[in-house]
Amino acid sequence: MASAFRPQQARIPPALAIPIPLLTKAIGNLFCFIYRFKIGLCQLTVTPDKERNIKHARKAIKEAAQKGAQLVVLPEIWNSPYSNDSFPVYAEDIDAGHDASPSTAMLAEVSGQLKITIVGGSIPERCGDKLYNTCCIFGTDGKLKAKHRKIHLFDIDIPGKITFMESKTFTAGETPTIVDTGICHDICFEELAMIYASRGAHLLCYPGAFNMTSGPSHWELLQRSRAADNQLYVATCSPARDAGAGYIAWGHSTLVGPFGEVIATTEHDEDIIIAEIDYSILEQRRTRLPLAKQRRGDLYRLVDIRRLDAHCRL
């Protein structure tokens, strides 16, 4: 009867099998795959002093690595105050690199030096006449592995509480990133997380800066939902709360497991969370609760437009 529901057709193109983890470790001349490793979430205080923010982030990354983290995540907009007035001033030309992008130059240097992977939160990126909210991922060799431009811009207008229009300054990105990264408001869109899962994701990282209105209601709820719906890990990293800032972040950086369980979290002050991720339990969780086999492809389908276009060109 289950075959009549055509679960494999609920994802177009069909979902990929869980791939071998990307993290590897050298042992002599051999490489072994790492199924269990530590992640570091650096909840940082952000100031108007960009040079200080970069030095502070470097220090936090090194501290996380010293505590055993092999993957380190930074917050959304960690090198700049979170305001439309600040974004153009603090924006960097990431593609030009070096002096044109001191924030990413630091991330490249530290990731290669410490032989860790860094999900570099996000910074304002200048590309031509456009600005993007951009996350850069650096590998253990210090090289840029991927660049994710925030797809869903944060526009909110709740009278008497908060009004903020990210779209006044930033341009929305157009491409999901295959190293499984979203930024802040991207977490509100389950379709994006479903696409990542169908591409074989193990872990979704969301550098985010939820505020004092959306944070209490949605921050943990969305993380646990994305994790449980897709049976994978979700990591979020927020700036620390600054009550004197124009935009006040909620904090509460968190790691959630594939059953929607909170593995590690913190409050709103500056902190570094170190927690363990075990990829080997993903298949166990999905076997015990086989959601992929229970989907109703005869009733609904999720279409990954970019993968479908690539598939059609083959």
Side-chain angles (χ1 to χ4, degrees):
M1 184 64 178
S3 61
F5 296 155
R6 300 196 291 275
Q8 72 280 4
Q9 294 182 22
R11 299 291 182 266
I12 302 175
L16 300 174
I18 301 178
I20 294 173
L22 296 177
L23 287 175
T24 60
K25 181 178 181 180
I27 299 179
N29 293 324
L30 301 176
F31 285 88
C32 65
F33 296 109
I34 299 174
Y35 289 88
R36 181 179 297 174
F37 64 94
K38 288 184 178 180
I39 185 172
L41 308 176
C42 299
Q43 184 165 290
L44 304 176
T45 300
V46 179
T47 74
D49 186 338
K50 184 176 181 180
E51 184 177 351
R52 179 266 179 200
N53 293 336
I54 294 173
K55 290 181 179 178
H56 192 54
R58 178 196 292 268
K59 180 181 177 182
I61 293 168
K62 288 185 175 181
E63 182 177 340
Q66 288 171 355
K67 292 180 178 179
Q70 293 166 276
L71 173 65
V72 177
V73 186
L74 296 185
E76 181 181 23
I77 307 294
W78 58 268
N79 72 342
S80 161
Y82 193 89
S83 74
N84 281 313
D85 291 337
S86 297
F87 297 150
V89 178
Y90 289 73
E92 301 181 5
D93 186 342
I94 294 173
D95 291 338
H98 303 291
D99 292 342
S101 184
S103 299
T104 59
M106 180 275 289
L107 297 178
E109 178 187 345
V110 175
S111 61
Q113 180 185 78
L114 300 179
K115 300 294 185 284
I116 60 173
T117 298
I118 297 176
V119 176
S122 75
I123 65 171
E125 177 196 10
R126 184 180 303 281
C127 185
D129 60 353
K130 295 181 178 180
L131 295 180
Y132 297 93
N133 188 341
T134 301
C135 175
C136 293
I137 297 90
F138 291 89
T140 56
D141 57 0
K143 295 181 179 179
L144 180 66
K145 298 300 182 185
K147 183 170 71 171
H148 175 80
R149 289 169 171 167
K150 187 174 182 178
I151 294 173
H152 303 96
L153 298 180
F154 179 61
D155 288 356
I156 186 172
D157 185 10
I158 302 178
K161 291 191 175 182
I162 183 171
T163 298
F164 194 91
M165 299 292 170
E166 222 178 21
S167 61
K168 284 185 176 180
T169 307
F170 286 132
T171 298
E174 298 180 349
T175 306
T177 309
I178 60 172
V179 289
D180 317 328
T181 303
I183 300 178
C184 195
H185 200 46
D186 286 340
I187 199 174
C188 297
F189 297 86
E190 60 181 331
E191 298 89 348
L192 182 61
M194 292 160 66
I195 283 174
Y196 285 142
S198 72
R199 293 183 180 189
H202 300 77
L203 163 69
L204 303 183
C205 293
Y206 292 100
F210 273 42
N211 53 69
M212 300 298 291
T213 299
S214 60
S217 300
H218 296 156
W219 181 242
E220 183 179 311
L221 171 66
L222 290 170
Q223 295 172 63
R224 298 182 70 182
S225 297
R226 298 297 83 86
D229 288 349
N230 298 290
Q231 299 180 302
L232 41 65
Y233 287 93
V234 169
T236 59
C237 191
S238 168
R241 190 181 305 174
D242 178 0
Y247 182 98
I248 303 175
W250 173 241
H252 296 268
S253 300
T254 303
L255 176 67
V256 178
F259 262 16
E261 73 277 20
V262 174
I263 295 173
T265 190
T266 189
E267 297 296 326
H268 60 265
D269 293 327
E270 187 166 271
D271 198 2
I272 297 175
I273 302 171
I274 305 296
E276 186 172 84
I277 288 177
D278 185 356
Y279 284 155
S280 68
I281 71 170
L282 292 181
E283 187 61 34
Q284 178 190 92
R285 296 286 192 268
R286 296 178 185 187
T287 298
R288 292 177 177 177
L289 183 60
L291 299 182
K293 295 180 179 178
Q294 298 168 356
R295 294 193 179 108
R296 294 291 301 270
D298 58 325
L299 298 179
Y300 51 78
R301 297 176 184 180
L302 174 75
V303 181
D304 185 339
I305 299 298
R306 293 302 175 94
R307 274 189 66 214
L308 183 62
D309 288 346
H311 182 76
C312 290
R313 287 195 297 268
L314 295 177

